Amino acid sequence: MEALAALADPTRRELVALLARGELAAGELAERFPVSRPAISRHLRVLREAGLVRSRVEGRRRLYALDPRPLRELDDWLEPYRDLWAQRFDALDTEIARGRRARRSGETP
């Protein structure tokens, strides 16, 4: 479950989101954040060690790409909990609808 720990950081989640759109060079990634390039390199290393990204060298550039396998493993792990959340969202939807009906009819929810 290294992927879950790696994704706990918002910068790393944003890096993963950027890489989900396609391969990018380390410099291109670093330009999009208000932190130093070494800081982005450290985040990329954590993602690489967790198996979420892979890198390759092309000339003088290091290119990064998303590796979706750990995300699939995380998705599989979360599967048993989906029904629980679906039930809670259904209940929330029911309560929101009740509140709207009450407001329209002038009642207090």
Side-chain angles (χ1 to χ4, degrees):
M1 231 14 92
E2 283 183 63
L4 192 56
L7 292 171
D9 183 275
T11 300
R12 291 194 285 268
R13 287 193 304 271
E14 181 63 25
L15 285 165
V16 167
L18 289 168
L19 292 170
R21 298 179 198 146
E23 188 177 64
L24 288 168
E28 293 170 311
L29 289 164
E31 290 171 355
R32 299 174 189 229
F33 294 89
V35 296
S36 69
R37 284 179 184 245
I40 294 300
S41 290
R42 285 190 294 277
H43 284 298
L44 289 167
R45 185 182 72 235
V46 170
L47 291 170
R48 195 173 59 247
E49 288 172 356
L52 287 160
V53 300
R54 50 183 194 273
S55 66
R56 67 182 180 88
V57 176
E58 184 178 273
R60 293 176 34 181
R61 299 180 344 146
R62 181 171 293 273
L63 298 167
Y64 286 87
L66 181 65
D67 186 342
R69 287 177 295 179
L71 294 175
R72 283 189 209 111
E73 291 170 10
L74 185 55
D75 186 53
D76 291 344
W77 181 79
L78 289 169
E79 182 61 35
Y81 304 100
R82 284 201 176 85
D83 287 340
L84 171 70
W85 282 106
Q87 292 167 7
R88 290 182 183 191
F89 284 133
D90 289 344
L92 177 60
D93 190 42
T94 300
E95 291 303 315
I96 290 170
R98 278 187 191 145
R100 285 183 183 144
R101 282 193 302 273
R103 281 193 301 279
R104 283 194 298 260
S105 68
E107 301 172 15
T108 28

